[in-house]
Amino acid sequence: MSIVGSIFTDGLARVGIERAFDQTGTPSTWRSAGFVKADNFDNAILQGAEAVVRPITGNITELPVKFSISGLSYRLTIVQMLAMAVLLLHILIALAHVAWILSRQESSGCWDFVIELLVLDQNSKPAMTALANTAAGIKHSSTFAKQVTVRATGEDHLELVYEEEEAVTDREMADFHEADAPPKDEAGLSSQPPGFHNPHEPLIVESPTIDHIDLDNTSFSNGGERVLILTPLRDASSHLETYFKLIQELNYPHQSIDLAFLVGDSKDDTLDILQNQTKHLQRPSNPTRFRSAMVIEKDFGDTLPQTVEYRHSFEAQGPRRKGIGRSRNYLLYAALKPEHKWVYWRDVDIVENPTTVVEDLMKHDRDVIVPNDYNSWQESWRGRRLRSRLDKDTVLAEGYKEYRTHRTYLNWMAHDNKKKRLQNLHKEVALDGIGGVNILVKAELHRSGINFPCYAFENQADTEGFAAMAKRAGYGVWGLPNYVVWHVDTQEKEGNMVKGGREAVERIEKKEAERKARKKGKWKGGKEGG
């Protein structure tokens, strides 16, 4: 129907055509008879407006016809003009590059991809001057204006070099390939292994802010190896006078000894007395002053009572020993210096010791060594079985009736005869647990991470945990049963202690005397076992 309609419409349009066109000649040459082209004829056609002026005569049939033509067309806009300009610029650049290559007759197959440039950058020295403070980002456009070149800095090695950085000069490269090249043998082969040869002299850095420490060669002071004496303190004001009296009497050269104290959670005047004592001790006119003294303050929030009854009660042992271990570690890490060869842990409440105690313990050259101490012991099979049954977070408080370990105490091993004790003064025995009255430790153990656990390590804490940790790491722990350093007497809570203290030694000596008396037939007591 659409075809029939178009033919019918075309036929109607041709009715009276003789009046609209001059039909002289062929149809392609007919001219409009009554119609005159408008001034904007071409634009009017494209825009759908009237392209001709209506004829003057009105005897014409007017038939409106609308045609739609589908297809593609292009319109020139500002975006298209910019796109064409960019395309033409790219073409010009490409032509210029081709012309440059043809004129220079040089080209390269390197760095075709961005990843290759990144690899080149990774193999280059850091540009500490040119790209300073750019690791976290670039904020200034001047950074992008830095000029960088690719230079050969060695055999088969290229680097990115900025103008501000010190580049390898042509003369240096010539020296590298010629004068400073590794020597060759008679066959013309290099006598040195392959690798980059640095032609420069070593740079000696001398700066007061740079220290060089050689832990393989620990420094000596006049008179001997450096010793660090460490003492943690809490509510210890009543013991400080005796403490300072005894350490001033030590025979080991004082110029080789450093003192360090940690005061924590004290309620008395321990800190004030300590500061006065150290100030008096270290005055320049005092011939017994030490190489140095350090006072450290650190509160851990420990509010446990400090009464003798509570401190030695069974319930207090776990929290108390964990707290003491923590304070020891803080003191150790604040005071230990590279030049220290030995660390001498000393309780504040010692009342008697040989003046040669430091060198006496030192000459054994053991990793860890202690004098006679009723808190030092050898493990038993019952103790091992008990620990295997305890929760891993339980701290085993040695010497209390709640935990019957049947361990062998160091003070049981001492000779009851004074003469034999002196003859065997330096007899050594291996230990599994130690107390903290007197401990001499090689500083390398502490540097290797052997410290005083403030948690349950193999069901032990503080000094006993320290001994367990040292033995686990392969170090030796030793004791001298006949070498006595007297600790202040303490009144234990009734029924707590199974064995221990000076009382235990006296009981053992008494039983030994009774045994000898029976053997000689001089026993005057009751029946045996009565």
Side-chain angles (χ1 to χ4, degrees), residues 240-504:
L240 288 175
E241 183 178 354
T242 302
Y243 177 91
F244 278 92
K245 175 180 178 295
L246 291 176
I247 64 171
Q248 288 187 84
E249 294 173 354
L250 292 176
N251 188 63
Y252 195 81
H254 289 195
Q255 65 269 28
S256 299
I257 297 177
D258 298 287
L259 305 176
F261 307 88
L262 185 142
V263 182
D265 300 305
S266 285
K267 302 299 187 294
D268 64 3
D269 53 354
T270 295
L271 181 60
D272 293 336
I273 295 177
L274 176 64
Q275 290 176 334
N276 291 333
Q277 288 282 3
T278 52
K279 183 178 179 180
H280 179 74
L281 174 65
Q282 293 301 103
R283 68 188 189 281
S285 60
N286 184 12
T288 63
R289 68 181 182 275
F290 292 88
R291 184 181 184 91
S292 70
M294 178 187 296
V295 176
I296 303 167
E297 296 181 60
K298 173 59 182 175
D299 289 333
F300 299 97
D302 188 356
T303 59
L304 296 177
Q306 282 293 91
T307 61
V308 173
E309 181 180 10
Y310 181 80
R311 284 191 296 114
H312 294 278
S313 66
F314 173 77
E315 295 78 9
Q317 295 312 301
R320 179 172 176 267
R321 297 185 187 193
K322 291 178 181 179
I324 296 175
R326 182 181 292 107
S327 64
R328 289 185 191 274
N329 292 332
Y330 270 78
L331 174 58
L332 171 66
Y333 295 130
L336 184 64
K337 296 180 181 179
E339 56 267 22
H340 290 136
K341 186 70 177 292
W342 300 90
V343 178
Y344 176 37
W345 292 92
R346 182 182 176 94
D347 270 2
V348 68
D349 50 1
I350 293 174
V351 295
E352 182 182 341
N353 64 257
T355 59
T356 57
V357 59
V358 175
E359 54 265 43
D360 287 345
L361 297 178
M362 189 183 294
K363 71 179 182 181
H364 287 264
D365 196 30
R366 293 296 189 180
D367 299 324
V368 181
I369 192 166
V370 297
N372 191 309
D373 185 345
Y374 60 78
N375 287 322
S376 299
W377 42 265
Q378 292 177 337
E379 186 60 282
S380 65
W381 67 268
R382 289 185 178 88
R384 284 188 286 270
R385 183 179 65 181
L386 176 60
R387 286 194 292 110
S388 68
R389 296 174 177 177
L390 290 175
D391 182 83
K392 66 178 182 178
D393 294 325
T394 298
V395 175
L396 197 163
E398 177 55 38
Y400 289 80
K401 62 182 181 181
E402 285 81 0
Y403 294 131
R404 295 186 179 274
T405 61
H406 297 275
R407 289 165 171 168
T408 302
Y409 294 94
L410 180 62
N411 61 0
W412 293 0
M413 306 176 196
H415 286 287
D416 60 320
N417 183 278
K418 183 177 180 181
K419 183 178 179 180
K420 288 185 177 180
R421 276 203 300 267
L422 293 176
Q423 290 174 346
N424 296 275
L425 188 64
H426 292 283
K427 173 188 175 181
E428 298 177 349
V429 295
L431 297 174
D432 298 297
I434 60 175
V437 177
N438 258 240
I439 312 174
L440 186 68
V441 185
K442 287 185 177 180
E444 67 176 74
L445 268 73
H446 288 316
R447 294 192 180 99
S448 299
I450 312 301
N451 55 23
F452 300 88
C454 55
Y455 53 92
F457 180 85
E458 296 185 358
N459 295 111
Q460 307 291 170
D462 191 26
T463 56
E464 293 171 317
F466 166 75
M469 190 179 294
K471 291 179 72 70
R472 171 77 73 85
Y475 295 103
V477 180
W478 299 85
L480 305 178
N482 296 305
Y483 196 104
V484 179
V485 172
W486 287 113
H487 188 261
V488 67
D489 288 332
T490 55
Q491 181 182 358
E492 304 298 345
K493 186 176 180 180
E494 183 66 26
N496 263 346
M497 301 299 291
V498 178
K499 301 286 186 182
R502 191 177 288 189
E503 295 80 4

Side-chain angles (χ1 to χ4, degrees), residues 31-149:
R31 296 183 178 180
S32 176
F35 292 87
V36 180
K37 292 182 178 180
D39 296 336
N40 59 340
F41 180 79
D42 295 334
N43 291 333
I45 292 177
L46 292 176
Q47 297 175 3
E50 291 186 359
V52 294
V53 180
R54 295 174 180 271
I56 298 174
T57 133
N59 190 17
I60 294 177
T61 302
E62 182 177 347
L63 181 65
V65 180
K66 183 177 181 181
F67 290 91
S68 297
I69 302 175
S70 300
L72 300 176
S73 64
Y74 293 93
R75 296 184 64 184
L76 189 62
T77 64
I78 186 65
V79 175
Q80 294 171 333
M81 293 174 64
L82 291 175
M84 292 299 296
V86 172
L87 180 61
L88 291 175
L89 179 62
H90 179 74
I91 294 173
L92 291 175
I93 294 174
L95 291 175
H97 180 66
V98 172
W100 183 83
I101 292 176
L102 294 176
S103 63
R104 297 291 298 272
Q105 296 183 352
E106 293 179 357
S107 183
S108 173
C110 301
W111 313 299
D112 292 329
F113 302 98
V114 174
I115 189 64
E116 294 178 338
L117 289 174
L118 293 176
V119 172
L120 173 63
D121 180 70
Q122 288 293 314
N123 282 282
S124 303
K125 293 187 182 72
M128 304 303 293
T129 302
L131 299 181
N133 302 319
T134 60
I138 300 175
K139 295 183 178 180
H140 302 288
S141 60
S142 59
T143 303
F144 295 99
K146 303 286 186 181
Q147 292 190 6
V148 61
T149 58

Side-chain angles (χ1 to χ4, degrees), residues 151-153 166-176 200:
R151 297 291 301 271
T153 59
E166 181 180 3
V168 179
T169 63
D170 294 337
R171 179 65 258 168
E172 289 172 335
M173 291 307 300
D175 291 342
F176 168 75
H200 302 285

Side-chain angles (χ1 to χ4, degrees), residues 173-187:
M173 291 307 300
D175 291 342
F176 168 75
H177 290 293
E178 298 174 6
D180 291 330
K184 298 182 179 180
D185 56 19
E186 296 179 355

